[in-house]
Amino acid sequence: MNKSEPNDYPMLAMQVTNLKHGGNVYENAKKLNLLPSKIIDASASLVPFDPPKILIDSLKREIKNLGFKYYPERNLRDLKEIIGRFHGVNPENILPGNGASELITWAGYEASKLGLSCIPSPSFVDYERSLNCWNSNFIHCELPKNWNNIFPQSFPLLPNGDVIWITNPHNPTGQLWGKNSLEKIIKKYKLVICDEAFLSITPNGDKESLIPLTQKYDNLIVLRSLTKIFNIPGLRLGYVIGSSKKLQQWRNNRDPWPLNSFAIKAGIDLLSNTKFYENWTRKVHNWINIERERVFEKLSRIDNLKVHHSSTNFFLIESKTSLSPNIKYLENKGILLRECTTFRCLNEKWARISLQSKKNNNVLCKEIQNSFKK
Ligand SMILES: Cc1ncc(COP(=O)(O)O)c(C=O)c1O
């Protein structure tokens, strides 16, 4: 059991529960005897576009060249070079990973060496998995449950502890934290882990990135993912930026080949063409700005349902009564929402919804409305 320490913020006793993720498309399609493509998965927050042609060409090339016949290059030199150029960071300060999730495991390893971790909650459930994995001490610090629609916002907590886990924008609330407010707290901790998995997908998000500050603060590490922005959850590709000494230690301890050759080549091709990247993110941001407004407006008409503001492609809804029957009703129609009972500080009256294509958002909103009539 983890010990707790004096703290000015509400804390929750640690209890090991089933830590759940969204995105269980295969499982639900099988239950309903449907093709996975027929499921509207609003439980995982991805872009609704097919992956870009650059990516498909990259994967085809890898097959044609039989590149997977060889062990991947262990240093990941080319990929680090491209990521370094993309962010203006030295390749030595970069470590690519098998999705941000693998790197969250290693961030937990780093945190476990330093003492008490503070997890602003509700939060992405994987931080807890990672800290449990290293038998590390942690507390949950409750975030205020009301916020306005002006982003970025000031980070509202400063809990006592050694390590703080920040998610920007925050999952599951969708709040974008301002870089200036985050910089103010860096000096207070032995380690600040900032998970920017959704930052590039978020309109005006990249301005708030802490990546430039990694050169100034040795106790800051920033996690990134290519999963969300390119809709490639099955490829597994992310990276961390931070102190080369720390990252070298992670590298020494991890699997020898955590990234497969397809993910490596895809990463290189996706990040080396700036023009393509700018056009793609512009398309993604336009989609979010338009659909978020439409869906917000439609769902806000439902009695007794509060739709919370978000800076990004997912948001929380809160009902006066349990949303479990609604979620069940939708599941039977092949529509998945992220139920929130497995998020600390939330309960069955909350659900997280991710934006879909215009057509699927119309179906989603209509069926959510219907679910309240049952
Ligand atoms: C906040 C956050 N960080 C990281 C991840 C994991 O990303 P990846 O697919 O790169 O492992 C997720 C996935 O949902 C997430 O929500």
Side-chain angles (χ1 to χ4, degrees):
M1 188 56 86
N2 296 293
K3 67 171 187 270
S4 55
E5 293 201 345
N7 205 302
D8 296 337
Y9 294 89
M11 287 177 281
L12 294 150
M14 220 292 285
Q15 36 178 294
V16 178
T17 54
N18 177 21
L19 301 173
K20 224 179 139 183
H21 286 279
N24 303 310
V25 169
Y26 285 113
E27 201 179 304
N28 283 280
K30 208 165 173 192
K31 242 193 264 169
L32 297 173
N33 205 15
L34 290 175
L35 286 172
S37 58
K38 296 291 173 206
I39 299 285
I40 298 181
D41 182 15
S43 71
S45 309
L46 302 160
V47 298
F49 314 128
D50 283 339
K53 185 170 178 305
I54 282 192
L55 171 75
I56 307 294
D57 289 345
S58 178
L59 301 180
K60 282 185 181 160
R61 227 178 0 258
E62 182 65 3
I63 292 181
K64 190 162 166 250
N65 296 341
L66 300 181
F68 52 86
K69 261 183 31 179
Y70 309 100
Y71 278 106
E73 193 249 317
R74 284 202 58 209
N75 259 324
L76 301 166
R77 206 179 312 269
D78 293 347
L79 181 56
K80 288 200 296 197
E81 192 76 40
I82 293 296
I83 298 170
R85 219 177 294 155
F86 184 79
H87 287 294
V89 169
N90 190 326
E92 273 182 20
N93 297 105
I94 297 165
L95 189 70
N98 192 251
S101 304
E102 188 222 346
L103 301 165
I104 287 171
T105 305
W106 291 107
Y109 157 76
E110 199 61 45
S112 71
K113 294 189 271 179
L114 299 172
L116 183 72
S117 267
C118 307
I119 308 181
S121 294
S123 80
F124 182 45
V125 292
D126 235 30
Y127 308 149
E128 196 170 323
R129 171 196 62 79
S130 161
L131 290 162
N132 277 331
C133 166
W134 302 103
N135 224 353
S136 189
N137 289 344
F138 62 89
I139 48 169
H140 289 275
C141 309
E142 190 165 3
L143 285 162
K145 293 244 180 34
N146 263 310
W147 55 93
N148 62 27
N149 62 349
I150 299 164
F151 300 108
Q153 304 186 341
S154 273
F155 190 70
L157 303 178
L158 189 62
N160 292 328
D162 302 298
V163 180
I164 189 159
W165 295 68
I166 295 187
T167 321
N168 202 19
H170 195 76
N171 181 5
T173 65
Q175 288 163 282
L176 178 69
W177 308 123
K179 179 180 171 182
N180 290 343
S181 78
L182 294 177
E183 180 168 11
K184 283 190 192 128
I185 69 169
I186 294 175
K187 289 191 208 103
K188 312 264 181 196
Y189 295 93
K190 292 183 193 161
L191 179 67
V192 174
I193 299 159
C194 186
D195 178 351
E196 297 186 349
F198 285 98
L199 202 61
S200 52
I201 216 178
T202 303
N204 298 317
D206 266 320
K207 282 189 247 166
E208 310 307 330
S209 176
L210 297 194
I211 290 175
L213 298 184
T214 54
Q215 294 173 28
K216 189 166 158 194
Y217 300 101
D218 223 32
N219 61 331
L220 170 66
I221 55 178
V222 178
L223 298 159
R224 284 269 175 152
S225 170
L226 295 194
T227 294
K228 324 291 177 185
I229 183 88
F230 292 119
N231 192 12
I232 49 170
L235 205 53
R236 316 302 306 130
L237 187 53
Y239 49 91
V240 60
I241 299 182
S243 129
S244 57
K245 199 166 144 223
K246 287 188 182 66
L247 301 189
Q248 186 58 40
Q249 268 183 8
W250 300 13
R251 212 202 122 197
N252 292 344
N253 287 335
R254 77 204 296 220
D255 292 357
W257 301 280
L259 278 84
N260 66 65
S261 66
F262 289 95
I264 295 170
K265 295 289 168 26
I268 291 170
D269 290 335
L270 285 168
L271 296 182
S272 52
N273 186 331
T274 324
K275 194 103 214 113
F276 149 75
Y277 185 88
E278 280 169 10
N279 288 339
W280 179 266
T281 44
R282 194 172 310 117
K283 181 168 117 170
V284 170
H285 294 168
N286 282 343
W287 156 71
I288 293 180
N289 283 331
I290 293 169
E291 287 307 304
R292 189 181 47 201
E293 190 80 25
R294 261 181 14 93
V295 171
F296 187 93
E297 198 271 318
K298 278 178 195 283
L299 296 183
S300 295
R301 284 190 231 141
I302 300 174
D303 281 345
N304 296 326
L305 190 72
K306 177 166 172 140
V307 187
H308 285 270
H309 294 290
S310 169
S311 66
T312 191
N313 65 328
F314 55 83
F315 58 93
L316 285 170
I317 56 170
E318 182 186 1
S319 170
K320 291 231 158 91
T321 53
S322 168
L323 285 169
S324 305
N326 308 72
I327 290 173
K328 192 87 220 131
Y329 167 90
L330 292 161
E331 221 172 83
N332 287 329
K333 301 261 169 196
I335 299 170
L336 311 180
L337 305 192
R338 173 67 164 91
E339 62 86 31
C340 287
T341 58
T342 53
F343 281 115
R344 309 284 170 186
C345 311
L346 297 183
N347 56 35
E348 72 287 349
K349 293 179 183 166
W350 296 75
R352 193 191 64 199
I353 301 181
S354 303
L355 294 175
Q356 308 295 306
S357 65
K358 180 175 183 184
K359 183 168 150 246
N360 283 350
N361 280 333
N362 289 343
V363 177
L364 177 73
C365 292
K366 191 158 163 277
E367 289 297 355
I368 291 177
Q369 274 161 359
N370 289 343
S371 76
F372 278 93
K373 292 180 194 148
K374 297 285 134 191

